[in-house]
Amino acid sequence: MRPRFSIFKCLGFAAVAAALCGAGPAFALSNASAIPVWLAGYVGEGNGQIAPVVLERARALYLEKVAEGRVRNACYFAMDATRPNGTAGGRFYMICEASQSFHVISAGHGGGRNLQGVVNFSNGRECAKNFGNAMDSNLTAGGEYLTNEIKTSFKGYYRASTNRDAVLTRSFVQFDGIGETANARQRAIGGHAAALVSGICMQKKPESPYANREGYVPFGKLVTYAGGRSDGCTSWSPEDTVQVLSMVKDNPTTLYIYPEARDISAIARAVASGQSPAKSGSYWNASCLSEIGSPQFWPKEKLEPIIAQYKQDHPAPPPRPIPLCEAVSN
C-alpha cells in the first residue's frame, strides 16, 4: 500500500496543490494544513459529526487528487460504514469548504451473502460486520474512490395513484477505486438511489418508449429502502440522490469510505486481546461494535474462489418468463 500523509502536516503539499490548480476548487488550499475552525465543530463521534480519522483521510485524498489535476470539484465526499444505518445521524458526508457547507445523509452498506452450508459473510440492516472487495460478494470495500460517469437506466412502471402509472429510472454514478478498491468498476460499484420496482409482471403498453417488440413493459410495486442494504454499492434515499448526483455531474470528486482492511484488522486484534479500540489508537463506532462483536475483512484472493466454487456447485435455475399482468381497471 502506498504511503499516506497526515493532513496536519501537508502545508508544503497544499502550496504545491494551489500552484498546480490555479483557478481550481475555490477553497483555499494554502490553508489546508489545518482543519478550518468552522469544520472542526463537526468533528467527533456523535450524531451529525464525522470521526477525526475519516475526515483526515477524506481530506488528504481530496487534496492529493486536486494537486494531480484529476479533481476540480469544490466538494468532496466521505462515508463512515462503521456507523449505524438508517436516517438517525447519517454516515455519508458532503463537504464543501469554500461555502463552509457540511451535510450528512443516510447511506446503505453492502448486504454481503450467506452461501448456505459453506460460509456466511452477510450483514444485518443496522450495522456492517463483514467487508470485502471480492467479485459477487455484495460487500462494501472501504478505501479511496473517484466518482466518474453517470448512467441512467429504466427500471419499470409502477402505480403512482389510482389512475396514474409512473416510470422509475435510476441514475448510477460509477466509482473508480484506487489501490485496494481498484476493482470497483469490475464489481459495478457506485452510488444510486435506494429504489427499485419489485413483483414485476409485463403490462401491455405499446405507446411507451420503453416497450419491447411485443409492446410490453415491466410493471410492479415501487420499493424504497433508504435504511436497507445494497449489493455492495452506496445507496441514498431518492431525495438525497438528486443532490449528490447534481454535485458530481460532469465534475468528478473524491470519496473516501471507512474502514479499510488495515482498520478492520486493528479492531479485530484489539477485540481479541480485550483492549478498547480507542486505547489502542483505532476507531469504530461504539454502538455498532457492541452489536457485531468484531468485524472481518474478506480479501478477494480468499473469497472469490469460494464464491466461484459455490456457483459451480449451485447453478442458477433457467430463467422463467415474466408473467403477464392481470387486467387492472382504472
Side-chain angles (χ1 to χ4, degrees), residues 188-220:
I189 296 297
H192 58 77
L196 54 82
V197 176
S198 70
I200 287 178
C201 58
M202 298 302 290
Q203 182 185 76
K204 190 73 171 180
K205 197 180 286 286
E207 72 279 8
S208 170
Y210 303 106
N212 62 17
R213 292 181 179 180
E214 290 74 35
Y216 287 91
V217 296
F219 180 89

PDB file of all heavy atoms in Angstrom, residues 188-220:
ATOM      1  N   ALA A 188     -18.870  -3.333 -10.548  1.00  0.00           N
ATOM      2  CA  ALA A 188     -20.028  -2.456 -10.767  1.00  0.00           C
ATOM      3  C   ALA A 188     -20.404  -1.734  -9.478  1.00  0.00           C
ATOM      4  O   ALA A 188     -21.580  -1.657  -9.109  1.00  0.00           O
ATOM      5  CB  ALA A 188     -21.216  -3.232 -11.321  1.00  0.00           C
ATOM      6  N   ILE A 189     -19.391  -1.196  -8.807  1.00  0.00           N
ATOM      7  CA  ILE A 189     -19.603  -0.472  -7.569  1.00  0.00           C
ATOM      8  C   ILE A 189     -19.753   1.012  -7.851  1.00  0.00           C
ATOM      9  O   ILE A 189     -18.942   1.610  -8.571  1.00  0.00           O
ATOM     10  CB  ILE A 189     -18.436  -0.704  -6.587  1.00  0.00           C
ATOM     11  CG1 ILE A 189     -18.364  -2.176  -6.187  1.00  0.00           C
ATOM     12  CG2 ILE A 189     -18.572   0.184  -5.359  1.00  0.00           C
ATOM     13  CD1 ILE A 189     -19.572  -2.699  -5.453  1.00  0.00           C
ATOM     14  N   GLY A 190     -20.789   1.609  -7.283  1.00  0.00           N
ATOM     15  CA  GLY A 190     -21.032   3.034  -7.452  1.00  0.00           C
ATOM     16  C   GLY A 190     -22.086   3.482  -6.464  1.00  0.00           C
ATOM     17  O   GLY A 190     -22.281   2.866  -5.415  1.00  0.00           O
ATOM     18  N   GLY A 191     -22.772   4.560  -6.790  1.00  0.00           N
ATOM     19  CA  GLY A 191     -23.814   5.083  -5.923  1.00  0.00           C
ATOM     20  C   GLY A 191     -25.113   5.264  -6.684  1.00  0.00           C
ATOM     21  O   GLY A 191     -25.109   5.622  -7.871  1.00  0.00           O
ATOM     22  N   HIS A 192     -26.239   5.028  -6.006  1.00  0.00           N
ATOM     23  CA  HIS A 192     -27.542   5.157  -6.659  1.00  0.00           C
ATOM     24  C   HIS A 192     -28.626   5.313  -5.606  1.00  0.00           C
ATOM     25  O   HIS A 192     -28.398   5.114  -4.404  1.00  0.00           O
ATOM     26  CB  HIS A 192     -27.829   3.931  -7.537  1.00  0.00           C
ATOM     27  CG  HIS A 192     -27.820   2.623  -6.797  1.00  0.00           C
ATOM     28  ND1 HIS A 192     -28.863   2.207  -5.989  1.00  0.00           N
ATOM     29  CD2 HIS A 192     -26.880   1.645  -6.725  1.00  0.00           C
ATOM     30  CE1 HIS A 192     -28.580   1.035  -5.466  1.00  0.00           C
ATOM     31  NE2 HIS A 192     -27.386   0.665  -5.889  1.00  0.00           N
ATOM     32  N   ALA A 193     -29.805   5.658  -6.072  1.00  0.00           N
ATOM     33  CA  ALA A 193     -30.940   5.784  -5.170  1.00  0.00           C
ATOM     34  C   ALA A 193     -31.361   4.415  -4.660  1.00  0.00           C
ATOM     35  O   ALA A 193     -31.308   3.420  -5.379  1.00  0.00           O
ATOM     36  CB  ALA A 193     -32.107   6.450  -5.887  1.00  0.00           C
ATOM     37  N   ALA A 194     -31.796   4.385  -3.400  1.00  0.00           N
ATOM     38  CA  ALA A 194     -32.293   3.142  -2.803  1.00  0.00           C
ATOM     39  C   ALA A 194     -33.753   2.966  -3.215  1.00  0.00           C
ATOM     40  O   ALA A 194     -34.681   3.191  -2.438  1.00  0.00           O
ATOM     41  CB  ALA A 194     -32.148   3.195  -1.291  1.00  0.00           C
ATOM     42  N   ALA A 195     -33.959   2.590  -4.469  1.00  0.00           N
ATOM     43  CA  ALA A 195     -35.316   2.432  -5.012  1.00  0.00           C
ATOM     44  C   ALA A 195     -35.298   1.397  -6.118  1.00  0.00           C
ATOM     45  O   ALA A 195     -34.328   1.301  -6.886  1.00  0.00           O
ATOM     46  CB  ALA A 195     -35.831   3.761  -5.552  1.00  0.00           C
ATOM     47  N   LEU A 196     -36.347   0.602  -6.198  1.00  0.00           N
ATOM     48  CA  LEU A 196     -36.480  -0.406  -7.246  1.00  0.00           C
ATOM     49  C   LEU A 196     -37.956  -0.720  -7.468  1.00  0.00           C
ATOM     50  O   LEU A 196     -38.822  -0.313  -6.691  1.00  0.00           O
ATOM     51  CB  LEU A 196     -35.709  -1.672  -6.888  1.00  0.00           C
ATOM     52  CG  LEU A 196     -35.996  -2.349  -5.544  1.00  0.00           C
ATOM     53  CD1 LEU A 196     -37.228  -3.244  -5.613  1.00  0.00           C
ATOM     54  CD2 LEU A 196     -34.807  -3.182  -5.106  1.00  0.00           C
ATOM     55  N   VAL A 197     -38.222  -1.431  -8.554  1.00  0.00           N
ATOM     56  CA  VAL A 197     -39.571  -1.913  -8.840  1.00  0.00           C
ATOM     57  C   VAL A 197     -39.565  -3.418  -8.629  1.00  0.00           C
ATOM     58  O   VAL A 197     -38.781  -4.145  -9.250  1.00  0.00           O
ATOM     59  CB  VAL A 197     -40.000  -1.573 -10.281  1.00  0.00           C
ATOM     60  CG1 VAL A 197     -41.371  -2.167 -10.576  1.00  0.00           C
ATOM     61  CG2 VAL A 197     -40.038  -0.065 -10.480  1.00  0.00           C
ATOM     62  N   SER A 198     -40.411  -3.913  -7.715  1.00  0.00           N
ATOM     63  CA  SER A 198     -40.423  -5.335  -7.384  1.00  0.00           C
ATOM     64  C   SER A 198     -41.742  -5.976  -7.806  1.00  0.00           C
ATOM     65  O   SER A 198     -42.709  -5.284  -8.153  1.00  0.00           O
ATOM     66  CB  SER A 198     -40.212  -5.531  -5.880  1.00  0.00           C
ATOM     67  OG  SER A 198     -41.345  -5.086  -5.156  1.00  0.00           O
ATOM     68  N   GLY A 199     -41.790  -7.321  -7.736  1.00  0.00           N
ATOM     69  CA  GLY A 199     -43.008  -8.049  -8.081  1.00  0.00           C
ATOM     70  C   GLY A 199     -43.445  -7.790  -9.502  1.00  0.00           C
ATOM     71  O   GLY A 199     -44.630  -7.536  -9.767  1.00  0.00           O
ATOM     72  N   ILE A 200     -42.501  -7.858 -10.426  1.00  0.00           N
ATOM     73  CA  ILE A 200     -42.761  -7.409 -11.800  1.00  0.00           C
ATOM     74  C   ILE A 200     -43.605  -8.406 -12.599  1.00  0.00           C
ATOM     75  O   ILE A 200     -43.408  -9.622 -12.527  1.00  0.00           O
ATOM     76  CB  ILE A 200     -41.419  -7.142 -12.520  1.00  0.00           C
ATOM     77  CG1 ILE A 200     -40.783  -5.854 -11.974  1.00  0.00           C
ATOM     78  CG2 ILE A 200     -41.599  -7.054 -14.028  1.00  0.00           C
ATOM     79  CD1 ILE A 200     -39.445  -5.534 -12.567  1.00  0.00           C
ATOM     80  N   CYS A 201     -44.540  -7.845 -13.348  1.00  0.00           N
ATOM     81  CA  CYS A 201     -45.248  -8.562 -14.397  1.00  0.00           C
ATOM     82  C   CYS A 201     -45.132  -7.713 -15.660  1.00  0.00           C
ATOM     83  O   CYS A 201     -44.636  -6.582 -15.610  1.00  0.00           O
ATOM     84  CB  CYS A 201     -46.718  -8.799 -14.029  1.00  0.00           C
ATOM     85  SG  CYS A 201     -47.660  -7.285 -13.687  1.00  0.00           S
ATOM     86  N   MET A 202     -45.549  -8.227 -16.797  1.00  0.00           N
ATOM     87  CA  MET A 202     -45.431  -7.496 -18.063  1.00  0.00           C
ATOM     88  C   MET A 202     -46.795  -6.919 -18.444  1.00  0.00           C
ATOM     89  O   MET A 202     -47.785  -7.642 -18.564  1.00  0.00           O
ATOM     90  CB  MET A 202     -44.914  -8.409 -19.169  1.00  0.00           C
ATOM     91  CG  MET A 202     -43.526  -8.966 -18.902  1.00  0.00           C
ATOM     92  SD  MET A 202     -42.264  -7.668 -18.658  1.00  0.00           S
ATOM     93  CE  MET A 202     -42.141  -7.000 -20.331  1.00  0.00           C
ATOM     94  N   GLN A 203     -46.826  -5.612 -18.609  1.00  0.00           N
ATOM     95  CA  GLN A 203     -48.065  -4.891 -18.909  1.00  0.00           C
ATOM     96  C   GLN A 203     -48.054  -4.424 -20.363  1.00  0.00           C
ATOM     97  O   GLN A 203     -47.035  -3.940 -20.863  1.00  0.00           O
ATOM     98  CB  GLN A 203     -48.191  -3.685 -17.966  1.00  0.00           C
ATOM     99  CG  GLN A 203     -49.463  -2.877 -18.148  1.00  0.00           C
ATOM    100  CD  GLN A 203     -49.445  -1.643 -17.268  1.00  0.00           C
ATOM    101  OE1 GLN A 203     -48.768  -0.667 -17.571  1.00  0.00           O
ATOM    102  NE2 GLN A 203     -50.187  -1.691 -16.161  1.00  0.00           N
ATOM    103  N   LYS A 204     -49.200  -4.557 -21.005  1.00  0.00           N
ATOM    104  CA  LYS A 204     -49.319  -4.109 -22.391  1.00  0.00           C
ATOM    105  C   LYS A 204     -49.334  -2.588 -22.432  1.00  0.00           C
ATOM    106  O   LYS A 204     -50.217  -1.946 -21.844  1.00  0.00           O
ATOM    107  CB  LYS A 204     -50.603  -4.653 -23.017  1.00  0.00           C
ATOM    108  CG  LYS A 204     -50.705  -4.457 -24.517  1.00  0.00           C
ATOM    109  CD  LYS A 204     -49.774  -5.391 -25.284  1.00  0.00           C
ATOM    110  CE  LYS A 204     -50.026  -5.357 -26.784  1.00  0.00           C
ATOM    111  NZ  LYS A 204     -49.124  -6.252 -27.530  1.00  0.00           N
ATOM    112  N   LYS A 205     -48.324  -1.990 -23.057  1.00  0.00           N
ATOM    113  CA  LYS A 205     -48.246  -0.533 -23.160  1.00  0.00           C
ATOM    114  C   LYS A 205     -47.433  -0.194 -24.416  1.00  0.00           C
ATOM    115  O   LYS A 205     -46.310   0.300 -24.356  1.00  0.00           O
ATOM    116  CB  LYS A 205     -47.590   0.058 -21.904  1.00  0.00           C
ATOM    117  CG  LYS A 205     -47.834   1.555 -21.719  1.00  0.00           C
ATOM    118  CD  LYS A 205     -47.144   2.056 -20.447  1.00  0.00           C
ATOM    119  CE  LYS A 205     -47.857   1.629 -19.188  1.00  0.00           C
ATOM    120  NZ  LYS A 205     -49.113   2.411 -18.989  1.00  0.00           N
ATOM    121  N   PRO A 206     -47.996  -0.465 -25.591  1.00  0.00           N
ATOM    122  CA  PRO A 206     -47.239  -0.292 -26.833  1.00  0.00           C
ATOM    123  C   PRO A 206     -46.828   1.141 -27.112  1.00  0.00           C
ATOM    124  O   PRO A 206     -45.884   1.384 -27.872  1.00  0.00           O
ATOM    125  CB  PRO A 206     -48.202  -0.817 -27.907  1.00  0.00           C
ATOM    126  CG  PRO A 206     -49.568  -0.710 -27.282  1.00  0.00           C
ATOM    127  CD  PRO A 206     -49.358  -0.960 -25.832  1.00  0.00           C
ATOM    128  N   GLU A 207     -47.528   2.110 -26.491  1.00  0.00           N
ATOM    129  CA  GLU A 207     -47.180   3.514 -26.734  1.00  0.00           C
ATOM    130  C   GLU A 207     -45.942   3.962 -25.963  1.00  0.00           C
ATOM    131  O   GLU A 207     -45.393   5.043 -26.201  1.00  0.00           O
ATOM    132  CB  GLU A 207     -48.374   4.413 -26.362  1.00  0.00           C
ATOM    133  CG  GLU A 207     -48.639   4.550 -24.853  1.00  0.00           C
ATOM    134  CD  GLU A 207     -49.407   3.381 -24.255  1.00  0.00           C
ATOM    135  OE1 GLU A 207     -49.618   2.361 -24.969  1.00  0.00           O
ATOM    136  OE2 GLU A 207     -49.807   3.478 -23.081  1.00  0.00           O
ATOM    137  N   SER A 208     -45.479   3.127 -25.029  1.00  0.00           N
ATOM    138  CA  SER A 208     -44.328   3.501 -24.195  1.00  0.00           C
ATOM    139  C   SER A 208     -43.029   3.424 -24.987  1.00  0.00           C
ATOM    140  O   SER A 208     -42.800   2.466 -25.750  1.00  0.00           O
ATOM    141  CB  SER A 208     -44.233   2.580 -22.982  1.00  0.00           C
ATOM    142  OG  SER A 208     -42.992   2.785 -22.313  1.00  0.00           O
ATOM    143  N   PRO A 209     -42.139   4.392 -24.799  1.00  0.00           N
ATOM    144  CA  PRO A 209     -40.820   4.320 -25.454  1.00  0.00           C
ATOM    145  C   PRO A 209     -39.973   3.178 -24.899  1.00  0.00           C
ATOM    146  O   PRO A 209     -38.947   2.828 -25.485  1.00  0.00           O
ATOM    147  CB  PRO A 209     -40.198   5.686 -25.140  1.00  0.00           C
ATOM    148  CG  PRO A 209     -40.896   6.155 -23.902  1.00  0.00           C
ATOM    149  CD  PRO A 209     -42.295   5.627 -24.007  1.00  0.00           C
ATOM    150  N   TYR A 210     -40.392   2.602 -23.774  1.00  0.00           N
ATOM    151  CA  TYR A 210     -39.648   1.504 -23.156  1.00  0.00           C
ATOM    152  C   TYR A 210     -40.231   0.131 -23.512  1.00  0.00           C
ATOM    153  O   TYR A 210     -39.747  -0.887 -23.037  1.00  0.00           O
ATOM    154  CB  TYR A 210     -39.652   1.657 -21.631  1.00  0.00           C
ATOM    155  CG  TYR A 210     -39.090   2.965 -21.151  1.00  0.00           C
ATOM    156  CD1 TYR A 210     -39.930   3.963 -20.657  1.00  0.00           C
ATOM    157  CD2 TYR A 210     -37.723   3.219 -21.196  1.00  0.00           C
ATOM    158  CE1 TYR A 210     -39.416   5.170 -20.208  1.00  0.00           C
ATOM    159  CE2 TYR A 210     -37.202   4.425 -20.759  1.00  0.00           C
ATOM    160  CZ  TYR A 210     -38.056   5.399 -20.266  1.00  0.00           C
ATOM    161  OH  TYR A 210     -37.548   6.593 -19.827  1.00  0.00           O
ATOM    162  N   ALA A 211     -41.257   0.095 -24.337  1.00  0.00           N
ATOM    163  CA  ALA A 211     -41.919  -1.168 -24.672  1.00  0.00           C
ATOM    164  C   ALA A 211     -41.000  -2.073 -25.487  1.00  0.00           C
ATOM    165  O   ALA A 211     -40.173  -1.599 -26.281  1.00  0.00           O
ATOM    166  CB  ALA A 211     -43.199  -0.894 -25.453  1.00  0.00           C
ATOM    167  N   ASN A 212     -41.154  -3.387 -25.260  1.00  0.00           N
ATOM    168  CA  ASN A 212     -40.382  -4.346 -26.060  1.00  0.00           C
ATOM    169  C   ASN A 212     -41.048  -4.544 -27.416  1.00  0.00           C
ATOM    170  O   ASN A 212     -42.036  -3.867 -27.743  1.00  0.00           O
ATOM    171  CB  ASN A 212     -40.209  -5.664 -25.300  1.00  0.00           C
ATOM    172  CG  ASN A 212     -41.540  -6.356 -25.014  1.00  0.00           C
ATOM    173  OD1 ASN A 212     -42.573  -6.058 -25.619  1.00  0.00           O
ATOM    174  ND2 ASN A 212     -41.516  -7.308 -24.084  1.00  0.00           N
ATOM    175  N   ARG A 213     -40.537  -5.467 -28.174  1.00  0.00           N
ATOM    176  CA  ARG A 213     -41.050  -5.660 -29.539  1.00  0.00           C
ATOM    177  C   ARG A 213     -42.513  -6.068 -29.550  1.00  0.00           C
ATOM    178  O   ARG A 213     -43.225  -5.799 -30.522  1.00  0.00           O
ATOM    179  CB  ARG A 213     -40.208  -6.721 -30.253  1.00  0.00           C
ATOM    180  CG  ARG A 213     -38.781  -6.285 -30.548  1.00  0.00           C
ATOM    181  CD  ARG A 213     -38.018  -7.375 -31.281  1.00  0.00           C
ATOM    182  NE  ARG A 213     -36.652  -6.964 -31.582  1.00  0.00           N
ATOM    183  CZ  ARG A 213     -35.763  -7.727 -32.217  1.00  0.00           C
ATOM    184  NH1 ARG A 213     -36.126  -8.955 -32.619  1.00  0.00           N
ATOM    185  NH2 ARG A 213     -34.549  -7.289 -32.451  1.00  0.00           N
ATOM    186  N   GLU A 214     -42.946  -6.708 -28.488  1.00  0.00           N
ATOM    187  CA  GLU A 214     -44.343  -7.133 -28.412  1.00  0.00           C
ATOM    188  C   GLU A 214     -45.236  -6.070 -27.780  1.00  0.00           C
ATOM    189  O   GLU A 214     -46.446  -6.276 -27.630  1.00  0.00           O
ATOM    190  CB  GLU A 214     -44.463  -8.440 -27.610  1.00  0.00           C
ATOM    191  CG  GLU A 214     -43.903  -9.669 -28.321  1.00  0.00           C
ATOM    192  CD  GLU A 214     -42.391  -9.680 -28.338  1.00  0.00           C
ATOM    193  OE1 GLU A 214     -41.786  -9.213 -27.337  1.00  0.00           O
ATOM    194  OE2 GLU A 214     -41.805 -10.114 -29.344  1.00  0.00           O
ATOM    195  N   GLY A 215     -44.650  -4.937 -27.394  1.00  0.00           N
ATOM    196  CA  GLY A 215     -45.437  -3.846 -26.822  1.00  0.00           C
ATOM    197  C   GLY A 215     -45.666  -3.946 -25.321  1.00  0.00           C
ATOM    198  O   GLY A 215     -46.592  -3.311 -24.802  1.00  0.00           O
ATOM    199  N   TYR A 216     -44.828  -4.693 -24.617  1.00  0.00           N
ATOM    200  CA  TYR A 216     -44.983  -4.860 -23.172  1.00  0.00           C
ATOM    201  C   TYR A 216     -43.866  -4.142 -22.412  1.00  0.00           C
ATOM    202  O   TYR A 216     -42.734  -3.998 -22.906  1.00  0.00           O
ATOM    203  CB  TYR A 216     -44.956  -6.340 -22.791  1.00  0.00           C
ATOM    204  CG  TYR A 216     -46.210  -7.087 -23.169  1.00  0.00           C
ATOM    205  CD1 TYR A 216     -46.321  -7.724 -24.404  1.00  0.00           C
ATOM    206  CD2 TYR A 216     -47.291  -7.167 -22.288  1.00  0.00           C
ATOM    207  CE1 TYR A 216     -47.472  -8.414 -24.759  1.00  0.00           C
ATOM    208  CE2 TYR A 216     -48.452  -7.857 -22.631  1.00  0.00           C
ATOM    209  CZ  TYR A 216     -48.531  -8.474 -23.858  1.00  0.00           C
ATOM    210  OH  TYR A 216     -49.678  -9.152 -24.203  1.00  0.00           O
ATOM    211  N   VAL A 217     -44.208  -3.717 -21.178  1.00  0.00           N
ATOM    212  CA  VAL A 217     -43.234  -3.082 -20.291  1.00  0.00           C
ATOM    213  C   VAL A 217     -43.306  -3.762 -18.919  1.00  0.00           C
ATOM    214  O   VAL A 217     -44.354  -4.289 -18.537  1.00  0.00           O
ATOM    215  CB  VAL A 217     -43.516  -1.567 -20.117  1.00  0.00           C
ATOM    216  CG1 VAL A 217     -43.375  -0.824 -21.425  1.00  0.00           C
ATOM    217  CG2 VAL A 217     -44.894  -1.343 -19.499  1.00  0.00           C
ATOM    218  N   PRO A 218     -42.210  -3.766 -18.168  1.00  0.00           N
ATOM    219  CA  PRO A 218     -42.270  -4.311 -16.806  1.00  0.00           C
ATOM    220  C   PRO A 218     -43.067  -3.384 -15.890  1.00  0.00           C
ATOM    221  O   PRO A 218     -42.933  -2.162 -15.948  1.00  0.00           O
ATOM    222  CB  PRO A 218     -40.801  -4.386 -16.387  1.00  0.00           C
ATOM    223  CG  PRO A 218     -40.097  -3.407 -17.259  1.00  0.00           C
ATOM    224  CD  PRO A 218     -40.844  -3.368 -18.548  1.00  0.00           C
ATOM    225  N   PHE A 219     -43.908  -3.990 -15.057  1.00  0.00           N
ATOM    226  CA  PHE A 219     -44.764  -3.229 -14.148  1.00  0.00           C
ATOM    227  C   PHE A 219     -44.736  -3.919 -12.780  1.00  0.00           C
ATOM    228  O   PHE A 219     -44.786  -5.144 -12.680  1.00  0.00           O
ATOM    229  CB  PHE A 219     -46.202  -3.194 -14.674  1.00  0.00           C
ATOM    230  CG  PHE A 219     -47.163  -2.424 -13.808  1.00  0.00           C
ATOM    231  CD1 PHE A 219     -47.350  -1.064 -13.991  1.00  0.00           C
ATOM    232  CD2 PHE A 219     -47.871  -3.062 -12.793  1.00  0.00           C
ATOM    233  CE1 PHE A 219     -48.235  -0.351 -13.191  1.00  0.00           C
ATOM    234  CE2 PHE A 219     -48.757  -2.364 -11.992  1.00  0.00           C
ATOM    235  CZ  PHE A 219     -48.930  -0.997 -12.184  1.00  0.00           C
ATOM    236  N   GLY A 220     -44.618  -3.108 -11.716  1.00  0.00           N
ATOM    237  CA  GLY A 220     -44.573  -3.680 -10.372  1.00  0.00           C
ATOM    238  C   GLY A 220     -44.836  -2.645  -9.304  1.00  0.00           C
ATOM    239  O   GLY A 220     -45.487  -1.619  -9.555  1.00  0.00           O
TER     240      GLY A 220
END
